[in-house]
Amino acid sequence: MKNFIAPSILSANFAELGKEVDNVILAGADIIHFDVMDNHYVPNLTIGPQVCKSLVDYGVKKPIDVHLMTSPVDELITQFSDAGASMISFHPEATQHVDRSVELIKNKGCKAGIALNPASPLSLLDHVLEKIDFILIMSVNPGYGGQKFIANSLEKIKRCKEIISNSGLDVEIEVDGGIGINNIKKIKESGANIFVAGSAIFNSDNYEDTIKKMKQEISAE
Ligand code: DX5
Ligand code: ZN
């Protein structure tokens, strides 16, 4: 499966968001990870559909990967797909009807993902795996950038990969939280192929250098 680096703009300079996104794309970003927090499902507040639309109107062509850390989710699914999102994930505990929310994403023409918190079991994927395009495994508790990677996430990624392989389905694994040059290889070896990194990229002096090093770590020898 192809690997993708997805910088999380949560750690970008919001006063210069368009330029920041241009810069990470020039530096080699494959996907733009867009963290939506509502001060309800998580104790932080970020950006909404208008910001997504502004980036699309500004000319951002890479896929925008909207990670909803909100409750409820359905109205925002509609708004973000209308605003130009390509991928939308949500946390199953945050919606009353998981299947309906997945259907809504698919009907809007976006890739659908289920996001699992560190303590959320993989069994939440039962009955929905065949309908989704990717699983977002959180390797930190959602709410903030710059947290430490939770080590037992690796085991969970491996088990998730086994479930997908056994199913014969084509579902991608995205991992989000605490990823950097030093641990990305292990995360890939565990079975992930989409790597979200916020602080490791945006807090570095040279985005291109950081993304290049990440790609080197995950490229097959
Ligand atoms: C956390 C967000 C992440 C976060 C990752 O709730 O979902 O996408 O921005 O940031 P880092 O890479 O700094 O852990
Ligand atoms: Zn995220």
Side-chain angles (χ1 to χ4, degrees), residues 8-11 33 35 37 42 67 69 136 138 140-148 176-179 196-201 203:
S8 159
I9 56 173
L10 184 60
S11 292
H33 186 80
D35 285 307
M37 306 185 185
V42 291
H67 176 194
M69 288 161 277
L136 190 163
M138 292 295 306
V140 299
N141 286 295
Y144 302 98
Q147 303 179 78
K148 193 173 176 295
D176 184 5
I179 299 182
V196 177
S199 51
I201 293 172
N203 294 352

Side-chain angles (χ1 to χ4, degrees), residues 34-67:
F34 193 108
D35 285 307
V36 183
M37 306 185 185
D38 66 352
N39 184 35
H40 171 69
Y41 184 68
V42 291
N44 198 356
L45 187 64
T46 59
I47 42 180
Q50 278 160 331
V51 177
C52 180
K53 186 174 183 309
S54 296
L55 289 177
V56 172
D57 290 347
Y58 174 76
V60 173
K61 297 277 185 285
K62 292 285 180 193
I64 297 183
D65 168 30
V66 171
H67 176 194

